[in-house]
Amino acid sequence: MPIKTQSDLPAKEILENENIFVMDELRAIHQDIRPLNVLILNNMPVKQDTELQLLRALSNTPLQVDVTFMNVKSHVSQNTSASHLNKFYTTLDEIKGNKYDGMIVTGAPVEDIPFEQVDYWEEICEIFDWAGTHVTSTLHICWAAQAGLYHYYGIDKKLLPRKLFGVYEHRVENRKIPLVRGFDDFFLAPHSRHTETPSEAIHACSELKVLAESPQAGVYLAIAEGGRKIFVTGHPEYDRYSLNNEYIRDLNKGLPIQIPYNYYPDDDPGARPLLQWRSHSNNLYSNWLNYYVYQVTPYEL
């Protein structure tokens, strides 16, 4: 699938070197099709890394995707330059009148802060509510999944005894839902978080349907409103070294951090990490784009 981006987005060259078809704006103008319009609200601190991970994840279907990156205006990023944000990102005020086939809301490093104390919480809630009338399907990842479950259904998160950090096994719970079509009975996915939304509370909510769960990591995948809202509590978009980089970062900061679970061969941080979740991640994003975005949106948005 061709991914359409701005011609000078730094991730474009990296993706092209990986033999991923990236189409710039000039070529896209001459395509006689309507691409899927996908909005990505990127709350991660190092935005370029997440841009690359998500664009890579969206590149595995025959569909053409026109990606727009958005950030919140009520928070100043400390890890991404203002010039990058000004050049490649928009805000809700600038796109409020637009409609999108799909939206991805990323995680954020604020999970140990109560939702209402996050400095951009009101803006996040405004974006969630806006998406209800302007986006066909919204995919919430990690902290965004917790935030969405709290905002929509009042299910609060709780602090874990220690960070859930590593690659965990999950079981598919409901095969009749197209989002997990093609999944194996068990699959692996990365997690990196200090909090969780209690599994029993998710199961108790009649509006939510659990699709995959782990004995160690809890509910991984849940769906609501026929796929208009999808919640992923882990990080399927992570690349091979994402957990490794977080581990080294926390060690250098002197933070208490354990070796990522089920990640390094023989738990040796000096060894090359195993990439064990890429096929599941590709399947998840492809199914989302196909069954919950492409199949249900009209030709004219």
Side-chain angles (χ1 to χ4, degrees), residues 240 259-260 262-276:
R240 183 188 301 272
I259 292 174
N262 191 30
Y263 180 57
Y264 299 114
D266 300 319
D267 283 340
D268 176 10
R272 187 173 188 245
L274 297 173
L275 182 60
Q276 309 172 80

Side-chain angles (χ1 to χ4, degrees), residues 97-147:
N98 298 348
K99 292 198 173 182
Y100 293 87
D101 299 293
M103 181 168 79
I104 298 173
V105 187
T106 75
V110 293
E111 62 205 66
D112 54 343
I113 304 173
F115 291 117
E116 289 85 355
Q117 293 181 24
V118 174
D119 59 2
Y120 48 87
W121 177 246
E122 289 187 6
E123 187 174 358
I124 286 286
C125 292
E126 182 184 4
I127 292 170
F128 283 165
D129 293 339
W130 169 84
T133 55
H134 289 75
V135 178
T136 301
S137 177
T138 300
L139 185 68
H140 309 72
I141 301 172
C142 198
W143 176 83
Q146 296 181 347

Side-chain angles (χ1 to χ4, degrees), residues 51-192:
E51 292 163 10
L52 180 60
Q53 291 164 5
L54 288 174
L55 290 175
R56 187 186 286 127
L58 294 174
S59 68
N60 285 281
T61 79
L63 307 169
Q64 182 176 317
V65 178
D66 186 346
V67 173
T68 300
F69 287 103
M70 178 170 69
N71 65 314
V72 292
K73 65 179 182 180
S74 47
H75 176 80
V76 178
S77 176
Q78 303 296 318
N79 298 282
T80 302
S81 70
S83 61
H84 184 87
L85 295 175
N86 291 335
K87 188 170 187 177
F88 299 113
Y89 280 71
T90 187
T91 63
L92 181 61
D93 287 345
E94 296 170 306
I95 52 93
K96 254 184 180 177
N98 298 348
K99 292 198 173 182
Y100 293 87
D101 299 293
M103 181 168 79
I104 298 173
V105 187
T106 75
V110 293
E111 62 205 66
D112 54 343
I113 304 173
F115 291 117
E116 289 85 355
Q117 293 181 24
V118 174
D119 59 2
Y120 48 87
W121 177 246
E122 289 187 6
E123 187 174 358
I124 286 286
C125 292
E126 182 184 4
I127 292 170
F128 283 165
D129 293 339
W130 169 84
T133 55
H134 289 75
V135 178
T136 301
S137 177
T138 300
L139 185 68
H140 309 72
I141 301 172
C142 198
W143 176 83
Q146 296 181 347
L149 291 168
Y150 180 66
H151 177 68
Y152 301 125
Y153 311 110
I155 307 174
D156 207 349
K157 63 187 177 183
K158 70 175 184 180
L159 190 66
L160 293 168
R162 71 172 189 169
K163 186 176 184 179
L164 185 75
F165 189 45
V167 182
Y168 296 87
E169 186 177 76
H170 307 77
R171 181 185 179 92
V172 174
E173 300 291 343
N174 193 325
R175 288 206 160 275
K176 295 182 179 179
I177 306 300
L179 189 62
V180 293
R181 187 165 291 170
F183 279 33
D184 294 329
D185 288 339
F186 293 90
F187 63 91
L188 297 171
H191 290 262
S192 177

Side-chain angles (χ1 to χ4, degrees), residues 247-260:
Y247 176 63
I248 293 172
R249 177 200 66 197
D250 288 358
L251 282 179
N252 290 338
K253 289 182 177 180
L255 298 174
I257 186 65
Q258 71 272 17
I259 292 174

Side-chain angles (χ1 to χ4, degrees), residues 1-68:
M1 166 184 64
I3 297 287
K4 175 180 170 289
T5 67
Q6 290 168 272
S7 303
D8 48 356
L9 183 73
K12 180 175 181 288
E13 182 178 354
I14 299 172
L15 291 168
E16 288 174 334
N17 289 335
E18 295 179 10
N19 203 28
I20 292 174
F21 183 10
V22 184
M23 182 182 296
D24 62 27
E25 295 160 305
L26 180 61
R27 180 168 179 180
I29 290 172
H30 297 90
Q31 300 289 308
D32 189 24
I33 61 172
R34 185 180 82 73
L36 296 178
N37 292 299
V38 173
L39 182 66
I40 298 178
L41 174 57
N42 188 356
N43 299 310
M44 293 294 276
V46 184
K47 300 195 185 304
Q48 293 96 324
D49 290 350
T50 305
E51 292 163 10
L52 180 60
Q53 291 164 5
L54 288 174
L55 290 175
R56 187 186 286 127
L58 294 174
S59 68
N60 285 281
T61 79
L63 307 169
Q64 182 176 317
V65 178
D66 186 346
V67 173
T68 300

Side-chain angles (χ1 to χ4, degrees), residues 237-254:
E237 78 285 357
Y238 269 11
D239 59 32
R240 183 188 301 272
Y241 288 100
S242 297
L243 293 175
N244 175 76
N245 294 341
E246 292 183 11
Y247 176 63
I248 293 172
R249 177 200 66 197
D250 288 358
L251 282 179
N252 290 338
K253 289 182 177 180

